[in-house]
Amino acid sequence: MAVGIFDSGLGGLTVLDAVSKRLPDVPFVYLGDNAHAPYGVRTADDIFNLTCAATERLWAEGCDLVILACNTASAAALKRMQETWVPDTKRVLGVFVPLIEALTERQWGDNSPPREVSVKHVALFATPATVASRAFQRELAYRASGVDVEAQPCGGVVDAIEQGDEILAEALVRSHVEALKRRMPMPEAAILGCTHYPLMAAAFQDALGEDVKVYSQANLVAESLADYLIRRPEFVGAGTVSKFLTTGDPKAVSSKATQFLRRRIEFEKA
Ligand code: DGL
Protein backbone atom coordinates (compact mmCIF):
# COMPACT_ATOMS: atom_id res chain seq x y z
CA MET A 1 0.00 0.00 0.00
CA ALA A 2 2.72 2.46 -0.95
CA VAL A 3 2.36 6.04 -2.15
CA GLY A 4 5.01 7.66 -4.37
CA ILE A 5 6.51 11.07 -3.62
CA PHE A 6 8.44 12.75 -6.42
CA ASP A 7 10.65 15.82 -6.60
CA SER A 8 13.43 16.98 -8.89
CA GLY A 9 15.78 16.65 -5.93
CA LEU A 10 15.84 17.17 -2.19
CA GLY A 11 12.92 19.60 -1.78
CA GLY A 12 10.20 16.95 -1.74
CA LEU A 13 11.75 15.56 1.44
CA THR A 14 9.99 18.42 3.26
CA VAL A 15 6.71 16.93 2.04
CA LEU A 16 7.84 13.34 2.68
CA ASP A 17 8.59 14.22 6.30
CA ALA A 18 5.14 15.68 6.84
CA VAL A 19 3.18 12.92 5.07
CA SER A 20 5.03 10.14 6.85
CA LYS A 21 4.34 11.78 10.23
CA ARG A 22 0.66 12.26 9.37
CA LEU A 23 0.24 8.73 7.90
CA PRO A 24 2.72 6.55 9.83
CA ASP A 25 1.20 3.27 8.55
CA VAL A 26 1.55 4.12 4.86
CA PRO A 27 4.84 3.15 3.17
CA PHE A 28 6.23 5.96 1.00
CA VAL A 29 8.65 5.60 -1.90
CA TYR A 30 10.55 8.84 -2.50
CA LEU A 31 12.17 9.55 -5.86
CA GLY A 32 14.51 12.52 -6.36
CA ASP A 33 15.59 13.18 -9.94
CA ASN A 34 18.83 14.75 -8.70
CA ALA A 35 20.61 13.91 -11.95
CA HIS A 36 18.38 16.43 -13.73
CA ALA A 37 17.78 19.05 -10.98
CA PRO A 38 17.05 21.90 -11.04
CA TYR A 39 13.85 21.68 -13.11
CA GLY A 40 13.04 25.36 -12.55
CA VAL A 41 15.17 26.54 -15.46
CA ARG A 42 13.99 23.86 -17.95
CA THR A 43 11.34 24.09 -20.69
CA ALA A 44 7.79 22.82 -20.09
CA ASP A 45 8.35 19.91 -22.54
CA ASP A 46 11.50 18.88 -20.79
CA ILE A 47 9.79 19.00 -17.38
CA PHE A 48 6.85 16.97 -18.76
CA ASN A 49 9.14 14.22 -20.14
CA LEU A 50 11.28 13.97 -16.99
CA THR A 51 8.23 13.96 -14.70
CA CYS A 52 6.50 11.21 -16.74
CA ALA A 53 9.66 9.05 -16.60
CA ALA A 54 9.93 9.50 -12.81
CA THR A 55 6.22 8.77 -12.33
CA GLU A 56 6.55 5.51 -14.30
CA ARG A 57 9.46 4.54 -12.07
CA LEU A 58 7.25 5.04 -8.99
CA TRP A 59 4.39 3.06 -10.56
CA ALA A 60 6.91 0.22 -11.00
CA GLU A 61 7.46 0.35 -7.20
CA GLY A 62 3.76 -0.41 -6.62
CA CYS A 63 2.70 3.23 -6.09
CA ASP A 64 -0.56 3.76 -7.99
CA LEU A 65 -0.84 7.22 -6.47
CA VAL A 66 2.07 9.59 -7.04
CA ILE A 67 2.33 13.02 -5.42
CA LEU A 68 4.38 15.52 -7.39
CA ALA A 69 6.06 17.14 -4.36
CA CYS A 70 7.49 19.62 -6.82
CA ASN A 71 5.74 22.85 -7.73
CA THR A 72 7.67 23.14 -10.96
CA ALA A 73 6.39 19.76 -12.18
CA SER A 74 2.92 20.48 -10.74
CA ALA A 75 2.86 23.82 -12.59
CA ALA A 76 4.50 22.91 -15.88
CA ALA A 77 3.50 19.25 -16.43
CA LEU A 78 0.66 18.01 -14.21
CA LYS A 79 -2.33 19.33 -16.19
CA ARG A 80 -0.95 17.86 -19.43
CA MET A 81 -0.17 14.54 -17.68
CA GLN A 82 -3.69 14.28 -16.25
CA GLU A 83 -5.33 15.23 -19.54
CA THR A 84 -3.24 13.13 -21.91
CA TRP A 85 -1.16 10.52 -20.15
CA VAL A 86 -2.27 9.13 -16.75
CA PRO A 87 -4.40 5.92 -17.13
CA ASP A 88 -7.67 5.53 -15.19
CA THR A 89 -6.08 3.02 -12.81
CA LYS A 90 -3.48 5.51 -11.55
CA ARG A 91 -3.51 8.96 -10.00
CA VAL A 92 -0.96 11.78 -10.07
CA LEU A 93 -1.63 14.76 -7.78
CA GLY A 94 0.25 18.02 -7.28
CA VAL A 95 1.03 20.33 -4.39
CA PHE A 96 -0.63 23.57 -5.55
CA VAL A 97 -4.27 22.84 -4.90
CA PRO A 98 -4.00 21.99 -1.16
CA LEU A 99 -2.09 25.22 -0.63
CA ILE A 100 -4.65 27.32 -2.49
CA GLU A 101 -7.52 25.60 -0.67
CA ALA A 102 -5.89 26.59 2.64
CA LEU A 103 -5.20 30.16 1.49
CA THR A 104 -8.80 30.56 0.33
CA GLU A 105 -10.20 28.94 3.51
CA ARG A 106 -11.86 26.02 1.71
CA GLN A 107 -12.50 22.41 2.68
CA TRP A 108 -10.26 19.90 0.84
CA GLY A 109 -11.74 19.20 -2.59
CA ASP A 110 -14.32 22.05 -2.42
CA ASN A 111 -14.80 23.05 -6.08
CA SER A 112 -17.53 25.64 -5.61
CA PRO A 113 -17.27 28.91 -7.65
CA PRO A 114 -14.68 31.59 -6.77
CA ARG A 115 -15.52 33.88 -3.88
CA GLU A 116 -14.00 36.86 -2.10
CA VAL A 117 -11.48 35.89 0.60
CA SER A 118 -9.87 37.81 3.45
CA VAL A 119 -6.30 37.84 2.12
CA LYS A 120 -5.76 40.43 -0.65
CA HIS A 121 -2.00 40.80 -1.18
CA VAL A 122 -0.03 37.60 -1.69
CA ALA A 123 3.67 37.20 -2.42
CA LEU A 124 4.61 34.07 -4.34
CA PHE A 125 8.19 32.78 -4.25
CA ALA A 126 8.86 30.02 -6.77
CA THR A 127 11.20 28.78 -9.48
CA PRO A 128 11.38 30.66 -12.82
CA ALA A 129 9.42 27.85 -14.58
CA THR A 130 6.64 27.89 -11.95
CA VAL A 131 6.34 31.69 -12.14
CA ALA A 132 6.33 31.60 -15.97
CA SER A 133 3.56 28.97 -16.03
CA ARG A 134 1.15 31.24 -14.08
CA ALA A 135 -0.40 27.99 -12.80
CA PHE A 136 -0.70 29.39 -9.27
CA GLN A 137 -2.71 32.40 -10.46
CA ARG A 138 -4.87 30.10 -12.66
CA GLU A 139 -5.69 27.72 -9.78
CA LEU A 140 -6.29 30.67 -7.43
CA ALA A 141 -8.69 32.34 -9.89
CA TYR A 142 -10.84 29.16 -9.92
CA ARG A 143 -11.35 29.59 -6.17
CA ALA A 144 -10.97 33.27 -5.16
CA SER A 145 -11.58 36.73 -6.56
CA GLY A 146 -9.87 40.05 -5.89
CA VAL A 147 -6.49 38.66 -4.75
CA ASP A 148 -3.40 40.50 -5.95
CA VAL A 149 -0.46 38.08 -6.48
CA GLU A 150 3.11 39.34 -6.95
CA ALA A 151 5.44 36.53 -8.04
CA GLN A 152 9.19 36.44 -7.56
CA PRO A 153 11.22 33.95 -9.61
CA CYS A 154 13.92 32.85 -7.17
CA GLY A 155 16.78 31.97 -9.49
CA GLY A 156 19.68 30.06 -7.92
CA VAL A 157 18.08 29.01 -4.62
CA VAL A 158 17.38 25.39 -5.62
CA ASP A 159 20.87 25.05 -7.10
CA ALA A 160 22.46 26.30 -3.88
CA ILE A 161 20.37 23.87 -1.80
CA GLU A 162 21.15 20.93 -4.12
CA GLN A 163 24.84 21.81 -3.80
CA GLY A 164 24.55 21.92 -0.01
CA ASP A 165 25.52 25.63 0.14
CA GLU A 166 23.27 27.02 2.91
CA ILE A 167 25.08 30.38 3.09
CA LEU A 168 24.56 31.11 -0.59
CA ALA A 169 20.94 29.90 -0.41
CA GLU A 170 20.26 32.27 2.49
CA ALA A 171 21.85 35.25 0.74
CA LEU A 172 19.79 34.56 -2.39
CA VAL A 173 16.58 34.28 -0.34
CA ARG A 174 17.25 37.71 1.20
CA SER A 175 17.86 39.34 -2.16
CA HIS A 176 14.72 37.76 -3.70
CA VAL A 177 12.58 38.93 -0.76
CA GLU A 178 13.99 42.46 -1.12
CA ALA A 179 13.24 42.43 -4.86
CA LEU A 180 9.66 41.38 -4.22
CA LYS A 181 9.15 43.95 -1.47
CA ARG A 182 10.15 46.72 -3.89
CA ARG A 183 7.07 45.76 -5.96
CA MET A 184 4.73 44.75 -3.08
CA PRO A 185 5.95 46.43 0.12
CA MET A 186 3.29 44.95 2.44
CA PRO A 187 2.22 41.42 1.51
CA GLU A 188 -0.18 39.85 4.05
CA ALA A 189 0.77 36.32 3.08
CA ALA A 190 3.75 34.72 1.41
CA ILE A 191 3.68 31.39 -0.38
CA LEU A 192 6.81 29.25 -0.44
CA GLY A 193 5.91 27.84 -3.85
CA CYS A 194 8.81 25.42 -4.17
CA THR A 195 9.25 22.41 -1.94
CA HIS A 196 12.94 23.21 -1.50
CA TYR A 197 12.16 26.53 0.18
CA PRO A 198 10.91 25.22 3.56
CA LEU A 199 14.54 24.22 4.09
CA MET A 200 15.15 28.02 4.11
CA ALA A 201 11.90 28.92 5.93
CA ALA A 202 13.65 30.81 8.72
CA ALA A 203 15.50 33.02 6.22
CA PHE A 204 12.25 33.77 4.35
CA GLN A 205 10.36 34.63 7.57
CA ASP A 206 13.22 36.78 8.84
CA ALA A 207 13.52 38.74 5.59
CA LEU A 208 9.74 39.15 5.25
CA GLY A 209 9.17 40.18 8.87
CA GLU A 210 6.98 38.64 11.56
CA ASP A 211 3.71 40.15 10.33
CA VAL A 212 3.72 38.17 7.09
CA LYS A 213 2.04 34.76 7.32
CA VAL A 214 4.26 32.29 5.50
CA TYR A 215 2.47 29.31 3.94
CA SER A 216 4.52 26.26 3.13
CA GLN A 217 3.09 23.15 1.63
CA ALA A 218 4.28 20.16 3.60
CA ASN A 219 1.60 19.99 6.33
CA LEU A 220 -1.15 21.13 3.98
CA VAL A 221 -0.28 18.37 1.48
CA ALA A 222 -0.18 15.82 4.33
CA GLU A 223 -3.69 16.80 5.54
CA SER A 224 -5.12 16.77 2.06
CA LEU A 225 -3.48 13.39 1.25
CA ALA A 226 -4.94 11.86 4.44
CA ASP A 227 -8.37 13.12 3.37
CA TYR A 228 -7.86 11.84 -0.21
CA LEU A 229 -6.91 8.34 0.95
CA ILE A 230 -10.09 8.14 3.02
CA ARG A 231 -12.15 9.16 -0.02
CA ARG A 232 -10.22 7.07 -2.57
CA PRO A 233 -8.60 4.10 -0.75
CA GLU A 234 -8.40 2.17 -4.04
CA PHE A 235 -5.42 4.30 -5.08
CA VAL A 236 -3.14 3.08 -2.31
CA GLY A 237 -0.82 0.86 -4.39
CA ALA A 238 0.58 -2.64 -3.85
CA GLY A 239 4.06 -1.59 -2.63
CA THR A 240 4.92 -2.43 0.99
CA VAL A 241 8.37 -0.96 1.59
CA SER A 242 9.41 2.65 2.22
CA LYS A 243 12.55 3.70 0.38
CA PHE A 244 14.50 6.64 -1.03
CA LEU A 245 15.52 6.50 -4.68
CA THR A 246 17.66 8.94 -6.64
CA THR A 247 18.76 9.23 -10.24
CA GLY A 248 21.90 10.96 -8.93
CA ASP A 249 24.82 9.68 -6.88
CA PRO A 250 23.24 7.95 -3.83
CA LYS A 251 26.19 8.71 -1.56
CA ALA A 252 26.29 12.44 -2.29
CA VAL A 253 22.50 12.77 -2.22
CA SER A 254 22.26 10.88 1.11
CA SER A 255 24.81 13.18 2.68
CA LYS A 256 23.07 16.40 1.54
CA ALA A 257 19.65 15.06 2.56
CA THR A 258 21.04 14.19 6.00
CA GLN A 259 22.55 17.69 6.31
CA PHE A 260 19.29 19.47 5.43
CA LEU A 261 16.82 17.29 7.32
CA ARG A 262 19.17 16.74 10.25
CA ARG A 263 18.43 13.03 10.35
CA ARG A 264 20.14 10.11 8.60
CA ILE A 265 18.66 9.32 5.18
CA GLU A 266 20.00 6.59 2.85
CA PHE A 267 19.25 6.82 -0.85
CA GLU A 268 19.49 3.94 -3.36
CA LYS A 269 20.10 4.25 -7.08
CA ALA A 270 16.76 4.52 -8.95
N1 DGL B 1 11.31 21.53 -5.42
C1 DGL B 1 10.87 21.88 -6.71
C2 DGL B 1 9.69 22.78 -6.73
O1 DGL B 1 8.88 22.65 -5.82
C3 DGL B 1 11.85 21.88 -7.79
C4 DGL B 1 12.71 22.98 -8.05
C5 DGL B 1 13.67 22.77 -9.20
O2 DGL B 1 14.07 21.64 -9.49
O3 DGL B 1 14.01 23.79 -9.78
O4 DGL B 1 9.49 23.57 -7.60
Side-chain angles (χ1 to χ4, degrees):
M1 46 177 259
V3 172
I5 307 285
F6 164 73
D7 183 40
S8 61
L10 300 172
L13 291 172
T14 57
V15 174
L16 188 270
D17 248 10
V19 292
S20 45
K21 271 185 203 126
R22 178 66 181 77
L23 297 161
D25 298 331
V26 176
F28 289 98
V29 180
Y30 184 86
L31 173 59
D33 190 11
N34 301 74
H36 302 107
Y39 278 17
V41 289
R42 291 178 179 275
T43 63
D45 274 349
D46 212 4
I47 296 167
F48 174 80
N49 291 329
L50 290 168
T51 307
C52 289
T55 301
E56 277 180 331
R57 180 70 184 82
L58 285 165
W59 286 342
E61 291 289 329
C63 304
D64 291 348
L65 169 62
V66 171
I67 308 291
L68 303 184
C70 175
N71 290 269
T72 308
S74 302
L78 180 59
K79 201 163 180 284
R80 183 170 158 199
M81 289 168 79
Q82 288 171 333
E83 285 172 2
T84 67
W85 186 78
V86 180
D88 284 349
T89 51
K90 312 276 189 218
R91 283 290 181 278
V92 180
L93 303 175
V95 283
F96 265 32
V97 170
L99 178 80
I100 291 172
E101 287 175 343
L103 185 74
T104 56
E105 298 150 18
R106 281 175 181 251
Q107 298 295 317
W108 306 127
D110 168 1
N111 288 324
S112 59
R115 53 180 181 254
E116 205 147 315
V117 292
S118 55
V119 60
K120 299 285 179 224
H121 301 283
V122 175
L124 169 67
F125 297 94
T127 66
T130 298
V131 171
S133 75
R134 296 190 59 82
F136 179 85
Q137 289 88 331
R138 182 190 70 218
E139 292 295 332
L140 184 66
Y142 291 146
R143 295 168 178 84
S145 54
V147 184
D148 181 18
V149 177
E150 190 63 55
Q152 175 67 28
C154 298
V157 177
V158 169
D159 253 328
I161 293 172
E162 288 289 316
Q163 284 157 17
D165 191 339
E166 283 183 72
I167 293 170
L168 176 61
E170 197 175 320
L172 287 167
V173 164
R174 287 187 190 285
S175 85
H176 288 305
V177 170
E178 272 163 32
L180 181 125
K181 279 179 139 184
R182 284 197 285 276
R183 305 195 304 278
M184 181 182 271
M186 305 254 275
E188 298 149 49
I191 307 291
L192 303 189
C194 168
T195 53
H196 282 70
Y197 300 169
L199 298 167
M200 291 291 128
F204 273 103
Q205 185 75 69
D206 195 55
L208 283 159
E210 272 172 26
D211 295 343
V212 180
K213 177 161 172 49
V214 176
Y215 286 80
S216 73
Q217 289 159 320
N219 291 330
L220 300 172
V221 171
E223 283 310 319
S224 115
L225 175 62
D227 179 71
Y228 187 84
L229 291 179
I230 292 169
R231 286 186 284 125
R232 306 304 302 267
E234 68 274 29
F235 288 112
V236 180
T240 52
V241 183
S242 292
K243 56 177 107 162
F244 295 88
L245 302 172
T246 176
T247 56
D249 168 20
K251 206 161 162 245
V253 173
S254 303
S255 130
K256 281 168 203 156
T258 302
Q259 173 195 343
F260 275 107
L261 288 189
R262 296 181 169 84
R263 69 180 169 89
R264 184 85 209 126
I265 293 181
E266 286 291 346
F267 275 85
E268 310 164 27
K269 190 79 186 164

